[in-house]
Each structure stands twice: as structure tokens, then as C-alpha cells.
Amino acid sequence: MRALVVDDDATLTTLVRRLLKEDGSAVDVAGKAEDGRTLARVNDYDAIILDLVLPDGNGVQVLQSLRRDGKKTPIIVLTGTKDSEVTVRALDAGA
């Protein structure tokens, strides 16, 4: 499996990367929305793990952009927000 993790939290990305690699997966990491969007457009991933709050943009916008581009890769959203409206927007966008 090949996965992309888009999150600016270095501790979290290190942990997720380590766990996925232990399971035999190849993992790319992006700390910014634009970097994640670019990697997702250029490479084929089996899964994308996407934070909703990134230093240069909104994860929902990244998600919407990828879906508009026709990317059907499963996207798992990670967020620290308790705002259910944000969660609903992410699900509506294709998470």
C-alpha cells in the first residue's frame, strides 16, 4: 500500500508514518496543503490521511480540489476540532 499523510504536526506524522511502514506501506508526508495537493495529483495513492487545519490552507478545500480533479482515492480526515459542521463539510466533500 502507498499512503500520503498531509499534516503539519511532526509528532503525529512521525507516528503515522512509522505505524504504516511497520505494516509494509510506503508513506509520503506533506506538511502543507499545497504540497499535499501536488503529491496527490502527481502520484497514485491507496489512501490519503488529511488534516483539516494546515498552515497554508484548509483540508476541506484540498479534499474538494482532489475530488474535482477526479481523484477517487479514499481520504481519511484527521482533525482536533469538535465542530461537527466541519466534519459534515469534510464528509460532504468526499472524505
Side-chain angles (χ1 to χ4, degrees), residues 24-90:
S25 299
V27 182
D28 293 333
V29 173
K32 295 182 180 178
E34 190 56 38
D35 295 339
R37 186 178 298 134
T38 299
L39 284 171
R41 285 180 174 151
V42 173
N43 301 301
D44 289 323
Y45 292 101
D46 298 301
I48 298 172
I49 299 170
L50 176 65
D51 186 13
L52 294 183
V53 180
L54 296 161
D56 64 332
N58 179 310
V60 173
Q61 293 169 339
V62 172
L63 178 56
Q64 290 169 332
S65 173
L66 294 175
R67 294 303 188 228
R68 274 193 308 271
D69 289 347
K71 289 289 185 180
K72 298 190 184 290
T73 307
I75 299 176
I76 300 168
V77 170
L78 293 178
T79 184
T81 185
K82 294 181 180 177
D83 185 349
S84 60
E85 184 178 318
V86 173
T87 303
V88 169
R89 273 188 280 154

Side-chain angles (χ1 to χ4, degrees), residues 11-31:
T11 302
L12 180 67
T13 57
T14 299
L15 176 63
V16 171
R17 174 185 259 169
R18 183 179 311 138
L19 291 171
L20 289 171
K21 282 189 167 196
E22 286 175 4
D23 195 41
S25 299
V27 182
D28 293 333
V29 173

